[in-house]
Amino acid sequence: MSKFLDFQCNLDTFIDDLKTIIKNNNSKIDELLIQKQKDYNNFVKPLEVMEARLEEFFTPLSHINSVNNSKDTQKVYSDSLPIITEYSTQISQNIDIYNAYKEIKQKESTTLNYEQNRVLDLNIQNFELSGAHLDAKTKTRLQEINLRKSELANNFSQNLLDATNDYEYIITDENDIDGLPSSEIENAKFKEDGKIKYKFTLQMPSYIAYMTYGPNREIREELYRAYVSRAPQNAKIIDELLELRHEMANLLGFENYAQYSLATKMAKSQKSVLDFLENLLDNSIKQANNELQALQKIAPHSLESHDTAYYSEILKKEQYSIDEEEYRPYFEQNSVVNGMFSFLHKLFNLEFKKTDLQLWHKKATAYDVYEDNKLKARIYLDLEARESKRGGAWMHNWQSHSHNEQEEEFASAFVVCNFPPSNNKNPSLLRHDDVVTLFHEMGHTIHHILSEVNESEVSGVNGVEWDAVEFPSQFLENFAYEPKVLKMFAKHYKNTEVIPDEMIEKLVRSKNFLSAMSMLRQLEFSLFDFKLHTQIYKGDAVQKLLDSIREKTALIKTPSYNKFQNGFAHIFAGGYAAGYYSYKWAEVLSADTFYKVVDENIFDSPTAKAYRNIILHGGGAKSMQELYIQLMQREADTTQLLRLSGIK
């Protein structure tokens, strides 16, 4: 039997197959509940395996709908959501399962291992956060809320993807593309009615290219306006989602959704989160103002939001003699991927062996992963942008490492990015930011696939506190600036010349270019998200809250047509509601660990080896706080985050 599942998703039979699985699961649950003497092995473990199988079946559909989106995938995914949501809600509210877990915990806690106890603790907590102990009327209402929330999140995401794909700006005057990199010009070029024209879209590679290099300010503003005003229909979805989240939190005994969210996170209180964010803000504002003044000096007019990327690139060249376009030939996609694999081999003794599989797209690839020469996992890479793929970058876990019925099960995960597409004429040449993104997502990936935990529900990223889950990704991305790491893969795609030391030095010096302004932007998102979930905001009140935060965070006045919230998929279509602060919270852990490894010379670092053995192998079987103290032998040093960001 293969250690890994075959990737397949039959859209024609998916709904019927899903209904059959759920019907069988419900029958199995009834059988398990009839048992008079329930214990971990005859009750908890079968339920855990059953839920893992359902997740393994459903994940390919979710994946395909994100990377090969079509009318067919949209319909099947939309039709499946009510089914899976109703089932999941009913399970999480089942008072008999809840009571059985509590009884098993009470009887067996001293004889179970820490992984098994963690499974019980997290499940009991999840039952209570789902209202298993509440009356029938409240449970019914919570079921209705969960179903509607899943529908709204899906609609939000689809509206955003449709709006992104529906827009294009056609340029016919070659003066309007003067200064753009030749590769971007080639990607935009097309012929119509015998004339050469250039198409720019809201897809990330295209949008960023014109906003960074486009000489026509009016076109930049038009593209910016289109981007920040996408999917206006999402405003109504936001209103309903916020109302439902608040109602749900109240029904479960919380003052607001933010308080509910923190029940499963490292942060202990709303005050601790807001104090953390405000402290970072206070420490960053002075330097951010200085950065803005330097930027304003080189602009012939008052800066507006659609100007910052363009003049930032000019200032970056002026201050560091660095032209991002000069770096792209050294970051050919395949070279970067293979170099990253070499880096991970040297740091953690991992090997990545390509395996030939029939996948969902010709640009997707698969690799078997070996640790210490032993087969450990499989990863799937899908790295290039296309219209059918939603924007951004992410890791999506599929299988989780576990031991079931004396058999070891291996982990697998998808790594998805939106890099410039390659074609017969041009390779995929990455910006250094793209390299950082790839390292970030690979950090998530190895956190999941290297787990040595035997219980799937706390293996890999499962069971990890949400405000700690970004720790491994941020830790790994920092190495994309390390000279000895860069030299492993930064080779010119035409002649394999290794990137010169001078270029590396410029890149490292420019790492924290406008870092305080960037910090303010992330803090704006975090404060908006968290405060938005402390009470009910609706209609204009949502915009007013964002505007009030921007009075301190937005050093350039944001135009009134900017409706950022309508595209904030992280919190309205992802899992970051009242949790976007997690990026900065986890960055404290990652910065602290990173500097310790660097101080130990990276590849000779005992901390790096301990990180693999404690953090990556440990999954979610212990709290990250406990694992972190085991790794570092102390609490995290919060000052390292400011050091990493170059904020003094």
Side-chain angles (χ1 to χ4, degrees), residues 435-452:
V435 177
V436 173
T437 295
L438 180 61
F439 272 60
H440 179 100
E441 300 308 332
M442 186 55 65
H444 280 307
T445 304
I446 62 174
H447 188 202
H448 184 68
I449 65 171
L450 297 188
S451 173
E452 295 194 344

Side-chain angles (χ1 to χ4, degrees), residues 412-470:
S412 61
F414 306 104
V415 182
V416 183
C417 297
N418 272 277
F419 297 155
S422 58
N423 54 45
N424 294 333
K425 292 183 179 179
N426 299 308
S428 175
L429 303 181
L430 311 187
R431 297 172 303 124
H432 185 257
D433 282 352
D434 295 327
V435 177
V436 173
T437 295
L438 180 61
F439 272 60
H440 179 100
E441 300 308 332
M442 186 55 65
H444 280 307
T445 304
I446 62 174
H447 188 202
H448 184 68
I449 65 171
L450 297 188
S451 173
E452 295 194 344
V453 176
N454 292 323
E455 303 294 328
S456 63
E457 289 187 356
V458 291
S459 183
V461 297
N462 300 321
V464 178
E465 299 96 323
W466 198 258
D467 48 3
V469 80
E470 295 295 335

Side-chain angles (χ1 to χ4, degrees), residues 360-403:
W360 56 90
H361 194 274
K362 62 183 180 180
K363 293 291 183 73
T365 53
Y367 294 84
D368 285 343
V369 184
Y370 293 75
E371 181 183 347
D372 297 337
N373 299 314
K374 177 187 173 187
L375 181 62
K376 193 74 180 277
R378 176 172 288 173
I379 63 170
Y380 305 86
L381 305 186
D382 188 347
L383 302 181
E384 297 186 10
R386 54 181 176 268
E387 282 194 3
S388 60
K389 184 191 286 189
R390 70 175 172 89
W394 63 93
M395 182 281 291
H396 193 165
N397 48 302
W398 188 10
Q399 297 170 267
S400 298
H401 178 269
S402 63
H403 267 280

Side-chain angles (χ1 to χ4, degrees), residues 109-255:
S109 63
T110 57
T111 58
L112 296 175
N113 63 40
Y114 70 89
E115 294 179 6
Q116 295 166 329
N117 272 304
R118 177 82 164 166
V119 168
L120 286 171
D121 289 341
L122 292 181
N123 270 287
I124 290 168
Q125 180 187 57
N126 183 56
F127 278 115
E128 291 171 353
L129 291 176
S130 300
H133 56 301
L134 300 176
D135 62 79
K137 182 180 178 182
T138 304
K139 284 184 182 179
T140 299
R141 178 56 187 153
L142 286 169
Q143 288 177 21
E144 294 169 353
I145 289 173
N146 283 333
L147 178 59
R148 184 58 180 157
K149 278 168 53 193
S150 69
E151 291 172 348
L152 290 170
N154 183 49
N155 293 344
F156 187 100
S157 182
Q158 192 62 50
N159 290 342
L160 198 57
L161 179 61
D162 291 345
T164 300
N165 289 337
D166 287 347
Y167 180 89
E168 59 183 41
Y169 190 96
I170 306 300
I171 293 176
T172 56
D173 186 344
E174 297 216 345
N175 290 323
D176 291 336
I177 58 166
D178 184 40
L180 264 79
S182 58
S183 58
E184 300 295 354
I185 292 174
E186 282 299 315
N187 287 335
K189 184 189 292 185
F190 71 102
K191 200 168 187 178
E192 186 178 63
D193 301 329
K195 295 180 180 179
I196 297 294
K197 299 179 181 180
Y198 304 89
K199 180 174 74 173
F200 291 88
T201 71
L202 301 183
Q203 298 283 346
M204 266 300 106
S206 178
Y207 176 74
I208 288 175
Y210 204 88
M211 296 305 293
T212 305
Y213 301 103
N216 188 316
R217 192 177 185 222
E218 291 181 1
I219 294 175
R220 291 202 310 272
E221 181 175 12
E222 169 58 30
L223 285 168
Y224 172 81
R225 181 189 292 267
Y227 188 80
V228 300
S229 61
R230 288 175 300 166
Q233 66 271 45
N234 279 351
K236 288 186 177 179
I237 291 178
I238 290 172
D239 284 351
E240 189 175 351
L241 266 176
L242 291 174
E243 194 169 348
L244 289 172
R245 287 172 180 171
H246 190 82
E247 181 186 356
M248 183 189 80
N250 287 167
L251 289 172
L252 292 168
F254 296 95
E255 291 178 11

Side-chain angles (χ1 to χ4, degrees), residues 541-583:
V542 174
Q543 185 65 54
K544 286 178 181 176
L545 172 65
L546 182 53
D547 291 343
S548 70
I549 293 166
R550 283 174 172 166
E551 287 178 10
K552 194 170 181 180
T553 60
L555 305 183
I556 297 173
K557 185 172 175 57
T558 308
S560 59
Y561 58 75
N562 181 314
K563 302 298 178 185
F564 158 78
Q565 60 270 29
N566 294 340
F568 200 180
H570 271 79
I571 71 168
F572 295 120
Y576 282 86
Y580 196 84
Y581 77 90
S582 301
Y583 281 102

